[in-house]
Structures are given as structure tokens and as C-alpha cells.
């Protein structure tokens, strides 16, 4: 026995958990990157503003002669080790001024990974000369790193908690609501197995309804099979009573009447064959593929042309090549054989088979040029054992079998007058496959 695999609930839960986890991982990474980039842009903007502010408050009287006010606009520039540092360089790169915050603080040539750095070189103009001045501002990264760490902990903590809540929520929703239709299908199947129901009731969600409809179709098909077999056995037992009694009386009555005994045996064989065919005619299986009708009709006509020739009858076929129907080939041969045999026996010289179809209907007609069937007799000849003309032989089963086959496959058989040949028309209409 093949061991059971992972449950459907577990499979869906694992897939959903993986998708949620990957989604929040990517979300957290992108949000952290976006926050870092925005924070760095804010620092750069702030340092640029400090540079412009320094340029605005400095007094320059000549090269190397710079004067800043005692109280700088930014307090951190006045506090030693305040984290914000500034200086001014001349054209040769010599330091002309540095902020009080830089006193006693090694800044490693003002360039280091531990600092944010912004600089700007301008051509300073005096009435009698022009010379370059470079303004530089540095800010330590410690405060920025601490800010990023706080944001990272908050972000990952919140998203982690949200991930756990979402996974738990989807597991609960899946267990109590999402898979409820499957649990109902299982309960309905168990009720079906116990004989409490005859079919899966529903309604179910669209994705499950297709499956349950197929199961119901299969159940109906098998139930119909069993019912037909039971009816066939009962009908056979009932039908054989009379010919068996006649046989017994004939054998017990002294000298047997051989022709009468043969007649009764022939009747019994016909009844047995009829009931066997009746038991096998189950209509279209829910899994029966459509059959292209034209080749089957052509093979049937080819097989019957010799018989038709013996009766002096021409058998012709005019067939649509694309028409299909959900019917077993054996049932189709039986249907055509019964209708064509009946037409050949009653025709004078011509039998015509026609097949046409469109999106809405499929029509199969068998016309002959015989005497036709009077309208009052048309319903009667479709009943089992009814023969309109006893001179032509037969047991009165052909049209009854054909009518049963047509109805079993969702169609309708009607007897009319053939418009061109003038005899009988057997018109069979179906819904196309």
C-alpha cells in the first residue's frame, strides 16, 4: 500500500508560510535600504546647509585672513568632540581655520569611513583679488548607526510579529473555513457509502463542483447499469414463461410439432438477444469520447449494400464529415443496423441516409421509397414486439431498439414521411458533442 502523502492542509500551509516569509523578508530588506538611503540624503542635505551657513558668517579680509564669530550657529561646532566638525583650506590645502569642536580630535586627514564628509571650493572675490577657499564639514556616523539600529530592530520585530500572526491566521482560516467544502465532500461521501444519500448534494465551490459533478455522473451511470441489468433479468424471466410453456406442452403432447417448436425456440433466442442488448445499452458514459459518425455510417452502409442488392434496393449516403456524438461504436452499429434493415425491407428501390449538424443539433435521417408508415401507426411501431407488416418477417423489435438507443443518448426519434422518396423517414436528432 502506498503510504499517504502530506495532507492538503499541511501542503497549503507550508506553501503559504513560505510565500509570506519570503514576502516579508524582501519587504524588510527593501524598507531598510530605502530608509538608509533617505537618512543618508538627509545627512548630506544637512551638511550642505552647514557649508552654506559657514560661508555666510565668515569674514574674509585677504588670503589667509578669516574671521568667524565667537558663537557659531551650530552648537556642536563649538563643543570639543561634539561630533560635527568644520574647517577652511586655502588653495594649497593648508588649514586656515577649524571649528572648536575639532580641537584635540584626530580626524585622520578629515577622510575616514567613520564620518560623513561634504566639501565645497569657491573662488572668493575681494575688490582687488580673487583666491580659492575650500569649506569642509564632517559628521560622525555613530548617531546615524544608532538610528539605523533602532529602526532595524523595530522594523524586523514588527514584520516578524506580523508574519507569525499572518501564518497563524491563514492556518486558522484554512482549517476552519478554507477546507470546509472538502470536509463536507468527505462527509457526503461517507453518507453515500452508508446508503444515506444517493448522490453528492452540494452546492460546492466552483473548483470542487466539477469533481463532484463527475462523481455524480459516474454514480448515475453505474446505478443505471445495475437497474438495467436487473430489469433485463426480470423481463427475460417473464418473457420466457410463455414460449417455455409452449415447448413443454409440445413435447408432452405426443408427436411434437417441429415447426412450432422451432418457432418457439426462435422467439426465445430473439428475446434473450433483445434483453442482453437492453442490459448493455446504458447511454453515453460520462467519460465516452465523441465519435465521428461519418466513417461508422459508411462502414455500416457498405456491410448492408449486399443485403440491399438482394432486395433490389440502392443504398446511398449523404454525410456531414464533422459531426460527432458521444455514443459507443457498438451501440451506434446496432442503431444503424436496426433502422437500415427496417428501411431496406420496406423500400421499393431506394434508401437514403443523411447526416447534418450545427452547433445546436445533430440530425440523422433514414428515408425509403416504400409505402411509408401511416400517422396513426407511428407511435405503435415504436413499441416492443409491434410489427406493421407480418409478411416481411421480423419480431417487431428493430424500431423499438432504435428508439430506446436514441432516447438513452439524449436524443429523439420521430417517424415522418420522406419528402423526396415518399416513403418513411426515421428522423433522429441529438445534441452534438
Amino acid at each position: 500500500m502506498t503510504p499517504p502523502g502530506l495532507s492538503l492542509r499541511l501542503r497549503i500551509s507550508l506553501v503559504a508560510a513560505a510565500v509570506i516569509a519570503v514576502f516579508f523578508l524582501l519587504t524588510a530588506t527593501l524598507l531598510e535600504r530605502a530608509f538608509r538611503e533617505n537618512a543618508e540624503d538627509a545627512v548630506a542635505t544637512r551638511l550642505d546647509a552647514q557649508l552654506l551657513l559657514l560661508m555666510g558668517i565668515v569674514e574674509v579680509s585677504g588670503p589667509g585672513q578669516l574671521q568667524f564669530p565667537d558663537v557659531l550657529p551650530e552648537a556642536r561646532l563649538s563643543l570639543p568632540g561634539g561630533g560635527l566638525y568644520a574647517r577652511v583650506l586655502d588653495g594649497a590645502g593648508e588649514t586656515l581655520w577649524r571649528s572648536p569642536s575639532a580641537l584635540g580630535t584626530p580626524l585622520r586627514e578629515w577622510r575616514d569611513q567613520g564620518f560623513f564628509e561634504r566639501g565645497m571650493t569657491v573662488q572668493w572675490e575681494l575688490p582687488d583679488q580673487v583666491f580659492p577657499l575650500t569649506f569642509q564639514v564632517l559628521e560622525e556616523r555613530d548617531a546615524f548607526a544608532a538610528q539605523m539600529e533602532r529602526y532595524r530592530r523595530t522594523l524586523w520585530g514588527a514584520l516578524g510579529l506580523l508574519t507569525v500572526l499572518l501564518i497563524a491566521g491563514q492556518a486558522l482560516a484554512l482549517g476552519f473555513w478554507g477546507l470546509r467544502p472538502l470536509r463536507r465532500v468527505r462527509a457526503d461521501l461517507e453518507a453515500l457509502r452508508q446508503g444515506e444519500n444517493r448522490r453528492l448534494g452540494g452546492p460546492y465551490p466552483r473548483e470542487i463542483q466539477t469533481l463532484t459533478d463527475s462523481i455524480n455522473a459516474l454514480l448515475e451511470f453505474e446505478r443505471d447499469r445495475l437497474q438495467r441489468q436487473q430489469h433485463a433479468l426480470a423481463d427475460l424471466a417473464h418473457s420466457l414463461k410463455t414460449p417455455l410453456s409452449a415447448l413443454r406442452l409440445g413435447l408432452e403432447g405426443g408427436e411434437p410439432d417441429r415447426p412450432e417448436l422451432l418457432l418457439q425456440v426462435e422467439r426465445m433466442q430473439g428475446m434473450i438477444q433483445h434483453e442482453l442488448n437492453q442490459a448493455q445499452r446504458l447511454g453515453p458514459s460520462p467519460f465516452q469520447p465523441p465519435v465521428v459518425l461519418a466513417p461508422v455510417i459508411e462502414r455500416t452502409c457498405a456491410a448492408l449494400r449486399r443485403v440491399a442488392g438482394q432486395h433490389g434496393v440502392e443504398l446511398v449516403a449523404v454525410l456531414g464529415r464533422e459531426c460527432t456524438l458521444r455514443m459507443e461504436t457498438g451501440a451506434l452499429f446496432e442503431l444503424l443496423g436496426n433502422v437500415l434493415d427496417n428501411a431496406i425491407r420496406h423500400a421499393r428501390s431506394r434508401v437514403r441516409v443523411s447526416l447534418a449538424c450545427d452547433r445546436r443539433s445533430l440530425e440523422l435521417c433514414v428515408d425509403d421509397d416504400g409505402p411509408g408508415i401511416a400517422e396513426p401507426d407511428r407511435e405503435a411501431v415504436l413499441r416492443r414486439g409491434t410489427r406493421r407488416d407480418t409478411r416481411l418477417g421480423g419480431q417487431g423489435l428493430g424500431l423499438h431498439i432504435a428508439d430506446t438507443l436514441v432516447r438513452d443518448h439524449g436524443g429523439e426519434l420521430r417517424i415522418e414521411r420522406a419528402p423526396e422518396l415518399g416513403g418513411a423517414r426515421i428522423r433522429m436528432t441529438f445534441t452534438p458533442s
Side-chain angles (χ1 to χ4, degrees):
M1 173 181 278
T2 303
L6 294 177
S7 69
L8 186 60
R9 178 188 300 178
L10 181 57
R11 292 185 183 194
I12 297 177
S13 298
L14 290 177
V15 171
V19 171
I20 292 173
V22 171
F23 172 77
F24 281 118
L25 179 64
L26 293 176
T27 300
T29 302
L30 293 176
L31 286 177
E32 182 179 341
R33 176 179 297 178
F35 182 82
R36 175 183 293 275
E37 291 176 353
N38 288 334
E40 289 177 346
D41 289 342
V43 171
T45 302
R46 185 170 64 249
L47 294 182
D48 287 339
Q50 292 294 333
L51 287 174
L52 295 176
L53 187 60
L54 290 175
M55 293 178 189
I57 64 174
V58 66
E59 294 183 3
V60 180
S61 55
Q65 299 176 3
L66 282 67
Q67 182 68 39
F68 283 89
D70 295 334
V71 179
L72 298 175
E74 174 61 49
R76 289 187 298 166
L77 290 174
S78 301
L79 297 176
L84 181 65
Y85 313 100
R87 72 174 179 177
V88 181
L89 308 177
D90 61 12
E94 297 294 329
T95 300
L96 301 178
W97 174 88
R98 65 172 55 194
S99 64
S101 60
L103 297 177
T105 302
L107 299 182
R108 303 182 184 179
E109 299 299 328
W110 292 79
R111 294 184 181 277
D112 190 86
Q113 294 181 353
F115 295 94
F116 290 103
E117 186 268 338
R118 301 290 288 180
M120 184 180 300
T121 300
V122 297
Q123 297 296 323
W124 201 274
E125 296 184 5
L126 293 178
D128 56 349
Q129 57 183 328
V130 177
F131 49 89
L133 292 178
T134 300
F135 293 79
Q136 293 180 344
V137 179
L138 275 71
E139 186 175 55
E140 293 180 351
R141 289 181 175 267
D142 294 344
F144 177 83
Q147 180 187 20
M148 286 299 305
E149 184 62 27
R150 288 193 302 271
Y151 176 78
R152 186 182 297 110
R153 286 197 302 267
T154 302
L155 174 65
W156 286 90
L159 289 180
L161 178 60
L162 186 58
T163 299
V164 172
L165 291 177
L166 280 177
I167 293 175
Q170 69 88 22
L172 291 174
L174 183 64
F176 290 102
W177 183 73
L179 294 181
R180 181 181 298 174
L182 291 180
R183 290 197 297 271
R184 196 169 76 193
V185 170
R186 182 177 63 182
D188 289 348
L189 285 173
E190 181 62 23
L192 190 68
R193 190 178 70 86
Q194 298 293 337
E196 300 174 5
N197 294 335
R198 292 178 56 84
R199 67 194 311 274
L200 299 178
Y204 305 105
R206 183 171 57 254
E207 295 80 3
I208 300 177
Q209 189 71 47
T210 302
L211 172 63
T212 55
D213 287 346
S214 298
I215 294 176
N216 283 330
L218 182 60
L219 289 172
E220 293 292 338
F221 182 74
E222 293 299 327
R223 192 177 296 118
D224 188 56
R225 180 197 297 271
L226 178 61
Q227 185 178 34
R228 285 178 178 272
Q229 291 173 349
Q230 292 173 342
H231 289 173
L233 290 174
D235 290 347
L236 182 60
H238 178 76
S239 301
L240 290 178
K241 287 181 180 180
T242 300
L244 282 174
S245 297
L247 280 175
R248 182 174 182 178
L249 291 174
L251 292 173
E252 292 177 350
E255 185 67 26
D257 186 350
R258 183 179 177 84
E260 178 64 25
L261 295 181
L262 289 176
L263 177 61
Q264 297 300 330
V265 170
E266 182 181 353
R267 288 184 61 194
M268 292 170 61
Q269 288 176 335
M271 292 174 182
I272 292 172
Q273 185 61 47
H274 169 71
E275 297 301 343
L276 287 176
N277 292 338
Q278 185 74 9
Q280 294 173 356
R281 288 195 297 268
L282 302 175
S285 165
F287 308 107
Q288 172 70 38
V291 175
V292 180
L293 296 182
V296 180
I297 297 174
E298 289 173 344
R299 290 201 301 270
T300 306
C301 291
L304 291 175
R305 280 198 174 95
R306 179 177 296 180
V307 177
Q310 293 175 355
H311 289 78
V313 174
E314 179 187 10
L315 178 58
V316 297
V318 180
L319 308 175
R321 309 305 301 182
E322 303 298 328
C323 301
T324 61
L325 184 66
R326 292 186 185 275
M327 180 182 290
E328 292 183 355
T329 305
L332 184 56
F333 277 126
E334 184 179 6
L335 170 64
L336 294 169
N338 281 286
V339 176
L340 288 174
D341 177 71
N342 184 80
I344 290 170
R345 285 190 292 109
H346 291 88
R348 294 188 179 93
S349 61
R350 187 176 177 85
V351 172
R352 181 175 182 268
V353 184
S354 60
L355 174 66
C357 61
D358 55 28
R359 293 183 178 180
R360 294 176 295 179
S361 65
L362 180 148
E363 184 175 276
L364 174 62
C365 295
V366 177
D367 298 350
D368 65 67
D369 61 353
I373 302 175
E375 189 169 350
D377 298 330
R378 291 174 184 175
E379 184 177 350
V381 297
L382 296 179
R383 293 196 293 266
R384 176 184 171 189
T386 301
R387 292 193 299 168
R388 182 174 56 88
D389 190 347
T390 57
R391 297 173 301 171
L392 297 176
Q395 298 169 345
L397 296 176
L399 290 180
H400 168 71
I401 292 173
D403 182 56
T404 303
L405 278 169
V406 171
R407 285 188 285 105
D408 285 346
H409 289 79
E412 180 184 12
L413 185 148
R414 298 180 61 185
I415 300 176
E416 305 170 352
R417 176 163 293 277
E420 296 181 7
L421 300 185
R425 161 171 283 189
I426 309 299
R427 180 198 297 270
M428 294 160 280
T429 57
F430 303 87
T431 301
S433 302

